[in-house]
Amino acid sequence: MNRPGENESIEPRRRALWWTILGAAMTLPTVASLAYFVWLEGTAWVAPVYLGAKTIQFAGPLAVLGVLLAAAFGPARPGRSIGLGLGTGIAGAGFTWLAYSVLFRGGETAATAAEAITVKLADFHLDTLERYVVAALLISFVHSWLEEVYWRAFVYGRLRRLTSSRWSHLVAAIGFAAHHVVVIGVYLGDTSVLLLTLMSLPVVFGGVLWSVLYRATGNRLLAPWLSHVCLDLAIMAVGYDLIFAG
């Protein structure tokens, strides 16, 4: 059953406009990922295109949803948001490290990923430990916040007004996962569709979880952001283990 205000009546012309905007919003990150991870690999354009795409991706929603930036850290029950965010995030981070350690560490897939990551770090001029650590912290804390504004507050928030709440969770999560699939595919190399799918499903699950947390905490971003930070830190730790620990 939808809550008050969800799936409210929107005139057809306005509804079509929002579907067009959201379609572009969900497609842009995937096209951009293909550009700087695949099409432009090994060229001097990788870093500029990455920065340009991220600027385009985040500038609009940040401007439109600027009020959320002030409200996001002031939920009515901050303790609940912190508990949910850190609880789900630490659990997900633990699962990520366990899955890597048991299923991939020291194996052929890990070696393939390490080789691909090394190439990408060179493309982005992040091939020293110091630069990697700085980038890892920025991605984990700043980029994850921008993604939460973009995917949860903007994309999911608008989808919830255009379709049922249940489907808006899934559609937003699939859009969120799509550009991550490109990255995972590059790192895994010539792998099976089954393995790529299995590696991508947790990203879809994460997208659903974070929009559920966003909704459950009164449309505040604190809980999903904290959860997202923990997951990104775990992924960066895996990257460190693959590239620098040896």
Side-chain angles (χ1 to χ4, degrees), residues 3-245:
R3 302 184 187 188
E6 290 183 2
N7 202 23
E8 61 186 32
S9 178
I10 302 176
E11 62 181 68
R13 199 178 308 180
R14 188 179 171 196
R15 179 181 292 273
L17 175 62
W18 271 111
W19 275 118
T20 301
I21 293 172
L22 290 172
M26 289 188 286
T27 303
L28 171 63
T30 302
V31 174
S33 295
L34 285 169
Y36 53 74
F37 265 91
V38 181
W39 301 330
L40 299 173
E41 181 179 353
T43 72
W45 286 98
V46 172
V49 169
Y50 174 83
L51 292 173
K54 291 299 179 182
T55 299
I56 294 171
Q57 177 182 351
F58 295 132
L62 281 175
V64 173
L65 300 168
V67 66
L68 289 177
L69 296 175
F73 285 101
R77 299 172 63 186
R80 180 168 181 259
S81 290
I82 293 171
L84 285 172
L86 291 180
T88 57
I90 291 171
F95 174 80
T96 298
W97 184 260
L98 180 63
Y100 163 67
S101 299
V102 173
L103 300 176
F104 300 104
R105 196 178 194 186
E108 183 178 343
T109 301
T112 300
E115 183 177 347
I117 293 171
T118 300
V119 171
K120 293 305 171 188
L121 290 178
D123 284 344
F124 286 95
H125 308 291
L126 300 173
D127 45 356
T128 67
L129 178 58
E130 294 78 9
R131 292 177 181 177
Y132 179 84
V133 170
V134 171
L137 293 175
L138 288 174
I139 289 170
S140 297
F141 287 93
V142 179
H143 185 264
S144 65
W145 167 250
L146 295 172
E147 283 204 317
E148 288 309 305
V149 173
Y150 187 87
W151 288 106
R152 255 55 72 181
F154 178 62
V155 174
Y156 165 72
R158 294 306 309 186
L159 280 172
R160 199 178 69 234
R161 299 181 63 183
L162 294 172
T163 185
S164 69
S165 182
R166 180 181 302 174
W167 282 107
S168 59
H169 286 299
L170 183 59
V171 173
I174 291 173
F176 170 71
H179 70 287
H180 291 85
V181 174
V182 174
V183 177
I184 294 169
V186 169
Y187 289 159
L188 291 181
D190 295 327
T191 189
S192 67
V193 174
L194 176 61
L195 180 59
L196 179 59
T197 301
L198 290 175
M199 294 285 286
S200 302
L201 283 176
V203 187
V204 178
F205 176 79
V208 171
L209 171 66
W210 293 331
S211 64
V212 168
L213 290 179
Y214 172 72
R215 184 63 177 154
T217 55
N219 298 341
R220 297 297 201 270
L221 294 171
L222 180 58
W225 176 65
L226 288 175
S227 184
H228 198 156
V229 167
C230 293
L231 263 294
D232 278 359
L233 286 172
I235 293 169
M236 294 302 149
V238 169
Y240 167 81
D241 189 71
L242 286 170
I243 306 302
F244 298 104

